[in-house]
Amino acid sequence: MQTDSSTAKPPVEHFEAIIVGGGMVGTALCALLAQAGMKVALVEARPTPIGLDKAIGPLPAPRVSALTPVSQRLLAHVGAWPAMQETRVTPYRGMQVWDAEGSGEIAFSADEAGVAVLGHIVENTVTLAALNRQVLDHPNVTTFFGASPQALQRANSHAANGNRANGDWLILDDGRQLHAPLIVAADGAHSMLREMAGIEVASDDMQQHAVVTTVQCAKPHGGTARQAFIDGRPLAFLPLTVEGNEHYCSIVWSTTPEHADELSALSRGALGEALGEAFGHRLGGVTACDKAHRFPLVQRHARHYVQPHFALVGDAAHSIHPLAGQGVNLGLMDAAVLAEEVVHAWQRGAPWGELSTLRRYERRRRFDNSAMLGLMKGFKVLFGSHDPALTLMRNLGMSGMNQLVPLKRVLMRQATGERGRLPLTCR
């Protein structure tokens, strides 16, 4: 009997892993699995990928990340870092943090930490475009751009089929069906796939919005990242270099929603003046190159990272306050650890999507992510307090720690990502 082609279901496409979310973390995970030899599907709602030719404009993009040396090693491992260097990255060798409500101040340097650099400030579009280059033409990768998940069907909802490996089915919004022993949600803080899997999330509204923009300063940044705590609202000037010009900075001001409203309504001239005054004119006069962009800050942490044949990575598993710039670094480490555990199982013929394999990933990552989330919440409480005694204690603590080079060295090693057992791809 002939089947009506207009009603026939498309054939099921089989993979060894399906990743939903083509951001930095999902694409890095795709590159790691594909380069190890696994057949991977990458599903992304954006209609087209970002190429290196579109990654940068005359001025830096408003969204940047402070990539640690550990993240740099991972990006180098998958082959993305050289293309990023050829595009636009800004190393920083120093950090200055101070309390604008008192006298406390602390400075860090790469020399004290025993590293070449403390990190690099990189536009998110640059990182993503370089990662896209590694996966788009890879023979082990099939991409589904302009597609979103419509349904997640678990293995126990299908009859046993000897021709199918154990796993789950992902139904896309255009009707295509994908199957794999492992499906990974890398689709961000508001993950649709996480919701489909029924994984609950603990949310903590930080009652702040992040205001971001790009500015040009009268004084060069000198390869130093700076952050001031202003009435509990951290304002960061992150160094950017455009064709050798060190007068640019990316601004991240985590502030109240009401203040974010005020900043967003300012003209560029008034915005630059407000930023320069708030920062104590440490870099001289400030000129805003763009309007103020804003987004609400909510810390989230999934109750579980894994289920049989299913895992969360990056913001789908946890989202964090930006004051320490650790968000994408935590996500990239998720990708590296999950890839290490999955590839190890796959290479020895073990069931790489089963819970026993995936729980090893969760055990390795949950403590580090939880500790960083707790630390960021603690910083917000500490620097948001107006209690005179607590203000005095934090200022004395910062100034005293500034004299303790061995302790600062330990803290900097932690901040550069040198924590716990690193995956081989990050060493």
Side-chain angles (χ1 to χ4, degrees):
M1 183 176 68
Q2 190 171 13
T3 303
D4 183 354
S5 60
S6 64
T7 60
K9 290 184 177 180
V12 176
E13 299 181 60
H14 297 276
F15 300 93
E16 287 166 315
I18 300 167
I19 300 166
V20 177
M24 292 181 285
V25 173
T27 309
L29 176 61
C30 180
L32 288 164
L33 297 180
Q35 290 174 6
M38 297 183 74
K39 185 181 179 184
V40 186
L42 181 64
V43 179
E44 168 54 41
R46 283 195 313 274
T48 56
I50 297 175
L52 283 168
D53 58 330
K54 301 286 181 63
I56 64 169
L59 293 174
R63 299 297 297 269
V64 305
S65 296
L67 298 174
T68 66
V70 170
S71 293
Q72 177 188 346
R73 294 198 291 268
L74 172 63
L75 292 164
H77 176 85
V78 298
W81 187 254
M84 293 167 64
Q85 285 182 301
E86 292 172 6
T87 309
R88 189 156 61 204
V89 303
T90 303
Y92 61 97
R93 291 180 46 80
M95 288 182 63
Q96 295 176 358
V97 181
W98 65 94
D99 188 348
E101 307 302 309
S103 60
E105 184 165 344
I106 188 168
F108 300 95
S109 72
D111 291 338
E112 286 179 333
V115 294
V117 296
L118 296 178
H120 290 80
I121 306 299
V122 189
E123 295 155 75
N124 291 354
T125 51
V126 169
T127 303
L128 181 55
L131 285 166
N132 279 338
R133 175 183 279 187
Q134 302 307 310
V135 304
L136 290 179
D137 296 322
H138 198 287
N140 291 335
V141 177
T142 302
T143 57
F144 297 85
F145 280 90
S148 298
Q150 185 179 61
L152 176 66
Q153 296 183 352
R154 314 316 293 259
N156 58 10
S157 67
H158 288 260
N161 186 323
N163 296 321
R164 289 176 171 172
N166 197 16
D168 290 343
W169 283 255
L170 187 70
I171 313 302
L172 302 183
D173 54 3
D174 61 4
R176 285 179 291 184
Q177 300 182 63
L178 314 182
H179 171 270
L182 174 64
I183 298 177
V184 181
D187 52 343
H190 302 284
S191 171
M192 183 186 304
L193 204 57
R194 181 187 65 210
E195 185 176 339
M196 289 178 181
I199 297 178
E200 296 182 353
V201 177
S203 297
D204 184 9
D205 188 341
M206 305 301 284
Q207 299 180 338
Q208 288 184 334
H209 283 210
V211 175
V212 299
T213 192
T214 302
V215 300
Q216 191 169 12
C217 303
K219 300 177 183 179
H221 54 64
T224 297
R226 297 170 173 86
Q227 184 163 255
F229 285 90
I230 305 164
D231 194 22
R233 298 170 293 147
L235 170 59
F237 274 55
L238 306 175
L240 292 171
T241 302
V242 180
E243 296 182 351
N245 187 339
E246 290 194 351
H247 290 261
Y248 289 95
C249 285
S250 179
I251 301 301
V252 185
W253 197 347
S254 303
T255 188
T256 64
E258 296 77 17
H259 188 220
D261 286 338
E262 296 173 9
L263 293 172
S264 299
L266 294 177
S267 66
R268 290 188 188 180
L271 178 61
E273 290 178 7
L275 290 168
E277 183 178 352
F279 213 61
H281 300 289
R282 292 212 176 192
L283 291 175
V286 174
T287 302
C289 303
D290 193 4
K291 67 178 183 179
H293 304 264
R294 59 183 293 186
F295 53 93
L297 297 178
V298 180
Q299 286 201 164
R300 299 177 178 86
H301 205 185
R303 303 288 186 186
H304 307 284
Y305 289 5
V306 300
Q307 293 176 345
H309 311 295
F310 187 84
L312 305 174
V313 294
D315 284 356
H318 47 78
S319 54
I320 190 171
H321 195 289
L323 73 87
Q326 289 296 313
V328 71
N329 296 299
L330 295 179
L332 289 173
M333 190 57 56
D334 290 348
V337 171
L338 179 60
E340 184 166 85
E341 295 294 347
V342 166
V343 169
H344 180 65
W346 175 76
Q347 287 177 336
R348 57 191 175 87
W352 62 93
E354 288 196 356
L355 203 54
S356 58
T357 297
L358 300 181
R359 277 182 172 157
R360 286 196 289 271
Y361 151 69
E362 182 174 38
R363 284 194 297 269
R364 290 178 63 182
R365 291 302 305 143
R366 190 170 188 89
F367 177 80
D368 186 42
N369 292 333
S370 296
M372 193 60 69
L373 284 162
L375 182 62
M376 294 307 98
K377 187 173 182 179
F379 269 122
K380 182 179 181 296
V381 172
L382 176 63
F383 284 93
S385 173
H386 298 286
D387 182 271
L390 193 56
T391 301
L392 176 62
M393 287 177 59
R394 75 185 181 221
N395 278 277
L396 290 174
M398 291 177 72
S399 299
M401 189 181 299
N402 199 41
Q403 309 302 318
L404 301 175
V405 175
L407 178 57
K408 286 168 64 177
R409 184 177 295 117
V410 171
L411 291 174
M412 278 293 91
R413 296 289 289 181
Q414 292 283 313
T416 55
E418 303 285 355
R419 303 186 301 271
R421 179 164 66 95
L422 294 177
L424 290 176
T425 53
C426 299
R427 296 179 191 172

